[in-house]
Amino acid sequence: MPSKISIANSSAAVDWTVSNGYVEYDRALDIMARRTAAIREGRAKELVWLLEHPPLYTAGTGAKEKDLLNSGSLPVYQTNRGGQFTYHGPGQRVAYVMLDLETRGRDIREFITHLETWLINTLAEFNVTGETRRDRVGIWVRRPSKGEMIEDKIAAIGLRVSRWVSSHGIALNVDPDLSQFSGIVPCGIRDHGVTSLADLGLPVTLYDVDVALRGSFQQIFGPTKLVEPGKALKI
């Protein structure tokens, strides 16, 4: 496991909040924009925001039109995060990560490595071995029951870093409708599939995943403070 990213004030806990119900994508973008501006200006603390979206596709800055295979099936949102097309929907835990990299080393590659480790350590809590690949983004699991060389993606990473404050973040498939991924080429990768904890035979709840995510995050990034959404998301 990588060591903790350096932080200017080791006593400053990251705000941690979990939204119940589905959060519309436009609302999430607005909240992230306002919160990251406040973090940058020193008016708000860092924040990790856990949520679910209603079914939708998002297109990152590297998205290719040909990778949207079924344009009329779900709403499609253009976004300023890196990456290509992905699906968000019920049963997928999205974590938006708004951290001040100015005080955490100003190393985006290291930051991404820590996010990958965060996901891998979270999956390990459920005895799932997540792995990274040099030529593919995200976290992958081997599927020997499907074939020796078969790997499926279980978690995605898509980031924006503006003036050293991060936004967007990760998406971990707990029990989403995996058929929705057939409407896109997820992250531009055609040769591998998508899986979830449920697809792997694990009856894990979002609450179980949230507990594991928070514990693993704190091991890498430092302490967190649980804050009610009404307070955490009001800027």
Side-chain angles (χ1 to χ4, degrees), residues 46-187:
E46 297 174 306
L47 173 67
V48 175
W49 179 20
L50 274 56
L51 55 86
E52 285 179 284
H53 285 304
L56 57 91
Y57 297 127
T58 66
T61 56
K64 300 177 177 63
E65 186 176 350
K66 65 180 181 179
D67 289 341
L68 181 60
L69 306 179
N70 191 351
S71 60
S73 61
L74 293 176
V76 180
Y77 293 86
Q78 300 292 325
T79 182
N80 57 12
R81 64 159 174 82
Q84 302 185 41
F85 279 105
T86 196
Y87 165 75
H88 293 313
Q92 181 190 71
R93 178 51 88 207
V94 173
Y96 288 135
V97 183
M98 290 159 265
L99 298 183
D100 184 1
L101 303 188
E102 182 73 42
T103 64
R104 291 176 176 268
R106 293 178 61 136
D107 188 329
I108 294 174
R109 180 62 256 179
E110 182 184 27
F111 179 54
I112 293 172
T113 297
H114 281 74
L115 294 178
E116 293 169 340
T117 303
W118 176 28
L119 284 164
I120 289 169
N121 290 354
T122 298
L123 291 169
E125 293 294 313
F126 306 104
N127 296 314
V128 173
T129 301
E131 301 177 325
T132 58
R133 295 290 178 262
R134 289 186 178 181
D135 59 337
R136 288 180 258 133
V137 297
I139 305 300
W140 299 82
V141 294
R142 303 183 191 220
R143 305 300 304 274
S145 63
K146 292 184 175 182
E148 184 179 352
M149 303 301 292
I150 301 299
E151 298 179 340
D152 288 338
K153 189 174 187 175
I154 195 168
I157 298 173
L159 285 176
R160 173 176 169 80
V161 177
S162 176
R163 293 168 59 192
W164 297 111
V165 176
S166 68
S167 59
H168 298 273
I170 66 168
L172 175 59
N173 295 332
V174 181
D175 188 14
D177 179 1
L178 295 179
S179 69
Q180 298 284 16
F181 285 94
S182 65
I184 56 173
V185 179
C187 301

